[in-house]
Amino acid sequence: MSPLTAPQDSSHSDRANRASQLLATVRPGLQLVETKMKAVDSALFAPLAHAFLDLIGSGGKRLRPALALLSAEVAGMTPSSAAYPRVVALAAAVEMLHTATLVHDDVIDGAMLRRGAPTLNATWSGGSTVLAGNYMFGTAARFAAQTDDIRVIRLFSETLKIIVNGELRQLRDRYNYEQEKSVYYQRIYAKTASLFCAATEGAAILAGLSDAAVKQLRDYGYNFGMAFQIMDDVLDFTSDEATLGKPAGSDLRQGTVTLPFFYYLHRDSGADDLIAYLEEQRLRADEEDATIWDHTVAQVVQEVRATGGVKAARQEALNFLEQARNTLSIFADSPCKEALLGLCDYVVQRNY
Amino acid sequence: MSPLTAPQDSSHSDRANRASQLLATVRPGLQLVETKMKAVDSALFAPLAHAFLDLIGSGGKRLRPALALLSAEVAGMTPSSAAYPRVVALAAAVEMLHTATLVHDDVIDGAMLRRGAPTLNATWSGGSTVLAGNYMFGTAARFAAQTDDIRVIRLFSETLKIIVNGELRQLRDRYNYEQEKSVYYQRIYAKTASLFCAATEGAAILAGLSDAAVKQLRDYGYNFGMAFQIMDDVLDFTSDEATLGKPAGSDLRQGTVTLPFFYYLHRDSGADDLIAYLEEQRLRADEEDATIWDHTVAQVVQEVRATGGVKAARQEALNFLEQARNTLSIFADSPCKEALLGLCDYVVQRNY
């Protein structure tokens, strides 16, 4: 979950303003994306259209579409280019796919709240929510087809596969505390960074860049996306319910191992004892009282905060961002390049 | 549900043989489709790969892929054509999309049995089933992209949208007994015929036919698909649990109005009374005992059988098939054309 759209507080609105400034240069393009996404088929029955628009509308800062638009412009395309509507289609496809996965995630997790607002899953039957997500998948596929570029369409469909595989692996790896760090990296690539890559690489392809330059923008998306997800995982430990719109430690509660916990677990030789303790508490929660697990998670969240796990994870995010910045060196200076660089700072500034 | 794969009985195996003969001419192509569909990513964890292959493997006669292959050959393509693998990709995409919708339908309906076998939904959590369906959607999109033809990809993504919209409308229209016949036709086009159209039209495009000839093959798919679904709906009234793998009247039980019931309802002036009775029984079932609704449905199934509803519906299927046959008149005689004509007979022969 992105804290960009968490309930208002002063530091939140400062951050929102900063994001807004960074994206100002592609604001008109983002408006086109917005219009495209909200053109809901009137054949859809009214209650769905309403819920659907609510969900689309609560989509935060449109970071993924913004990356597509910024990449296209860094690559030399302008909003007056004949091909610009195809970049808008790509941007809308990426965001619609992102929203579809969020909707299905809520079914899979049984989540009733997202960004502090009730999920479709909370107000509808699970079946309707599955269909609403499918409608979004279908819309995303249609938008992707509108890029009119077979390479971009293939990239998009490969990305869909990577995301779904990643979700399946996340389900498989739940409550497996002994996974390697590489498994975590694979997972966050699949669930987050892959879609950022699709946005930046797809835009570079549509802008007609050379393969080498396409690779640079893809790498920007990859490194930025990895850092973005690490920071999301850090915030799940460092933030609080008022900011997150859900209790802290929700990954851990669902048995998903993230980087801060990984460092905490491996900080000394006590990993086996901790794993045994967690498994025992979860068993007790199942058998006696579900709140036992909530208390255990809250306790571990405190300990992860108190040790160096958060700092070490944050450092890894900084390393990825350094690499993201480096990928841009081949491109001429421009307001869009400035924005892509500025977003790298912004991602870690989210950490309070 | 297709009765093609229902538990064995002698008339079933006669029909299966007949279908097998009709499809003999495209057997090698179907084998390529099969191999393509079953090449499951080894990165998927074992339990899923197994369940996934089970589900893919129980897919019946591969009627939709067969229609794609037959259409391509009627249009002049041969299995040795350079473009044939793209038709195989289309055929696999269509069948994978079909399977994905079946998997999600089981979540939406809470169904535990399909074709007499336990659904993924019965053995897995709903969340895993949603993901398994998404994996299939993603695979279908990848296969569609492999057709390397932007028109076919667009057709495919439009079809996905039509199918999902149709499912949403079906959910909306549940227990609405006063719907027009046109609503039923829209629904069966969306949920069934549209995918048959995608198979035949897509193949015609890949074979390089003129727009007019593409339209003819699309119309074949449309008319054949409409007849196919009407006959499926007829069988839900005329067949029994042993053949169907689920109790008769399952559409009616879920509040889905189909053609035989439509004719039964409108056979004389008693429609309002019947609707009131059904609504009262469903209320009683909710409040008192769920089996009341089962008994009511069983009683209505008997009455639909005893009146002319089944016959009238079957006649409409025959009319569609007549039109399907007519669309083929522009094509030269060939074993594949014979097969497409033979399938028209086969669809109504399923009616016992």
Side-chain angles (χ1 to χ4, degrees):
Chain A
M1 198 199 81
S2 160
L4 296 180
T5 49
Q8 300 290 325
D9 61 45
S10 67
S11 66
H12 163 74
S13 69
D14 289 351
R15 292 195 305 277
N17 286 341
R18 176 71 188 128
S20 186
Q21 285 162 16
L22 285 168
L23 304 185
T25 175
V26 286
R27 188 71 54 214
L30 284 174
Q31 194 50 56
L32 296 175
V33 173
E34 210 67 22
T35 304
K36 191 170 184 70
M37 289 180 70
K38 290 188 177 162
V40 173
D41 193 321
S42 62
L44 275 176
F45 59 112
L48 176 71
H50 186 74
F52 182 81
L53 283 177
D54 270 4
L55 202 88
I56 302 275
S58 68
K61 280 290 160 284
R62 307 295 192 210
L63 196 53
R64 292 158 188 81
L67 287 184
L69 299 173
L70 289 168
S71 297
E73 295 196 36
V74 161
M77 195 187 276
T78 67
S80 58
S81 306
Y84 199 74
R86 293 158 61 200
V87 178
V88 170
L90 168 68
V94 164
E95 187 71 359
M96 193 59 91
L97 175 55
H98 171 58
T99 313
T101 60
L102 295 183
V103 169
H104 277 184
D105 283 354
D106 292 337
V107 182
I108 294 158
D109 299 341
M112 297 294 146
L113 283 181
R114 176 173 289 278
R115 294 171 172 145
T119 62
L120 275 188
N121 196 36
T123 46
W124 289 22
S125 76
S128 309
T129 312
V130 172
L131 279 181
N134 287 357
Y135 179 86
M136 291 177 190
F137 275 124
T139 306
R142 225 155 31 89
F143 290 164
Q146 289 169 11
T147 63
D148 244 337
D149 186 300
I150 204 88
R151 265 175 83 194
V152 173
I153 292 169
R154 286 198 169 193
L155 171 64
F156 187 82
S157 66
E158 290 294 334
T159 305
L160 174 52
K161 179 190 146 186
I162 290 166
I163 291 172
V164 177
N165 280 8
E167 290 190 312
L168 286 165
R169 282 200 301 269
Q170 176 164 326
L171 215 55
R172 174 196 62 186
D173 294 337
R174 273 189 184 179
Y175 304 110
N176 172 13
Y177 301 110
E178 299 183 78
Q179 55 190 267
E180 301 287 324
K181 194 157 78 169
S182 63
V183 173
Y184 168 77
Y185 275 133
Q186 274 175 20
R187 186 166 61 237
I188 69 170
Y189 164 66
K191 74 186 243 189
T192 304
S194 66
L195 195 55
F196 285 87
C197 291
T200 57
E201 180 180 357
I205 293 170
L206 292 174
L209 289 191
S210 69
D211 286 356
V214 167
K215 172 84 166 55
Q216 292 296 107
L217 277 175
R218 175 184 173 81
D219 287 350
Y220 174 88
Y222 172 80
N223 287 294
F224 183 88
M226 295 296 279
F228 183 85
Q229 186 57 52
I230 291 172
M231 290 309 302
D232 231 37
D233 294 341
V234 163
L235 286 165
D236 192 42
F237 282 97
T238 60
S239 200
D240 55 26
E241 186 163 354
T243 312
L244 288 172
K246 62 182 178 182
S250 63
D251 293 324
L252 189 58
R253 188 170 298 104
Q254 297 192 331
T256 301
V257 171
T258 61
L259 206 50
F261 178 78
F262 179 87
Y263 278 116
Y264 167 69
L265 186 64
H266 294 286
R267 76 199 181 288
D268 57 30
S269 56
D272 289 349
D273 292 348
L274 178 58
I275 290 171
Y277 172 71
L278 289 173
E279 280 166 359
E280 182 194 311
Q281 293 296 90
R282 204 158 64 86
L283 204 64
R284 278 191 56 210
D286 273 357
E287 286 172 357
E288 296 168 33
D289 176 3
T291 63
I292 292 175
W293 184 238
D294 293 333
H295 292 138
T296 307
V297 168
Q299 172 198 348
V300 173
V301 166
Q302 292 305 328
E303 291 179 21
V304 172
R305 282 180 189 172
T307 61
V310 164
K311 197 178 165 194
R314 197 166 183 276
Q315 184 56 51
E316 295 211 20
L318 289 169
N319 297 347
F320 277 112
L321 291 169
E322 186 57 29
Q323 293 186 60
R325 284 190 198 88
N326 289 341
T327 63
L328 299 177
S329 61
I330 65 160
F331 298 101
D333 287 343
S334 70
C336 285
K337 180 172 167 179
E338 282 310 303
L340 288 177
L341 291 169
L343 285 170
C344 291
D345 300 326
Y346 170 74
V347 165
V348 270
Q349 284 160 7
R350 298 196 302 144
N351 189 23
Y352 47 77
Chain B
M1 200 199 82
S2 160
L4 296 180
T5 49
Q8 299 291 324
D9 61 46
S10 67
S11 66
H12 163 74
S13 68
D14 289 350
R15 292 196 304 277
N17 285 341
R18 176 72 187 127
S20 186
Q21 285 161 16
L22 284 168
L23 303 186
T25 177
V26 285
R27 187 72 53 212
L30 284 174
Q31 194 49 55
L32 296 174
V33 172
E34 210 66 22
T35 304
K36 192 171 183 70
M37 288 180 71
K38 289 188 177 163
V40 172
D41 194 320
S42 62
L44 274 176
F45 59 113
L48 175 72
H50 186 73
F52 181 80
L53 283 178
D54 270 4
L55 202 87
I56 301 275
S58 68
K61 281 289 160 285
R62 307 295 191 208
L63 196 53
R64 292 158 188 82
L67 287 185
L69 300 172
L70 289 168
S71 297
E73 295 196 36
V74 160
M77 195 188 276
T78 67
S80 59
S81 306
Y84 199 73
R86 294 158 61 199
V87 178
V88 170
L90 167 68
V94 164
E95 188 71 1
M96 194 59 89
L97 176 55
H98 172 57
T99 312
T101 59
L102 294 184
V103 170
H104 277 184
D105 282 354
D106 292 337
V107 182
I108 293 158
D109 299 342
M112 296 294 145
L113 284 180
R114 175 173 290 276
R115 294 172 172 143
T119 62
L120 275 187
N121 196 36
T123 47
W124 289 23
S125 76
S128 309
T129 312
V130 172
L131 279 181
N134 287 357
Y135 179 86
M136 292 177 190
F137 275 125
T139 307
R142 223 154 33 89
F143 290 163
Q146 289 169 11
T147 63
D148 244 337
D149 186 299
I150 203 88
R151 263 175 85 192
V152 173
I153 292 168
R154 286 198 170 192
L155 171 64
F156 187 82
S157 66
E158 290 294 334
T159 305
L160 174 53
K161 178 190 147 186
I162 290 166
I163 291 172
V164 177
N165 279 10
E167 290 190 311
L168 285 165
R169 282 199 301 269
Q170 175 164 324
L171 214 56
R172 174 197 61 185
D173 294 337
R174 274 188 183 179
Y175 304 110
N176 172 12
Y177 303 108
E178 298 182 79
Q179 55 191 267
E180 302 287 324
K181 193 157 78 167
S182 63
V183 173
Y184 168 77
Y185 274 133
Q186 275 175 19
R187 187 165 60 237
I188 68 171
Y189 164 66
K191 74 185 241 190
T192 302
S194 66
L195 195 55
F196 284 87
C197 291
T200 58
E201 180 180 357
I205 292 170
L206 292 173
L209 290 191
S210 70
D211 286 356
V214 167
K215 172 85 166 55
Q216 291 297 107
L217 277 175
R218 176 184 173 81
D219 287 351
Y220 175 87
Y222 173 80
N223 286 294
F224 183 88
M226 296 296 280
F228 183 86
Q229 186 58 51
I230 291 172
M231 289 309 302
D232 230 37
D233 294 342
V234 163
L235 285 165
D236 192 42
F237 283 97
T238 60
S239 199
D240 54 26
E241 186 163 356
T243 312
L244 287 172
K246 63 181 177 182
S250 63
D251 292 325
L252 188 58
R253 188 171 298 105
Q254 297 193 330
T256 302
V257 171
T258 61
L259 206 50
F261 178 78
F262 180 87
Y263 279 117
Y264 167 68
L265 186 64
H266 295 287
R267 76 200 180 287
D268 58 29
S269 56
D272 289 348
D273 292 347
L274 178 58
I275 290 171
Y277 173 71
L278 288 172
E279 281 167 357
E280 181 194 313
Q281 292 297 90
R282 204 157 65 85
L283 204 64
R284 278 190 57 211
D286 274 357
E287 286 172 358
E288 296 168 33
D289 176 3
T291 63
I292 292 174
W293 184 237
D294 293 333
H295 292 137
T296 307
V297 168
Q299 170 198 349
V300 174
V301 166
Q302 292 305 328
E303 291 180 22
V304 172
R305 282 180 189 171
T307 61
V310 164
K311 196 177 165 194
R314 196 166 184 276
Q315 184 56 50
E316 295 212 20
L318 288 169
N319 297 346
F320 278 111
L321 290 169
E322 185 57 27
Q323 293 186 61
R325 284 189 198 89
N326 289 342
T327 63
L328 299 177
S329 61
I330 65 160
F331 298 102
D333 288 343
S334 70
C336 285
K337 180 171 165 178
E338 282 310 303
L340 288 177
L341 291 169
L343 284 170
C344 292
D345 300 327
Y346 170 74
V347 165
V348 271
Q349 284 160 7
R350 299 196 301 144
N351 189 23
Y352 47 78

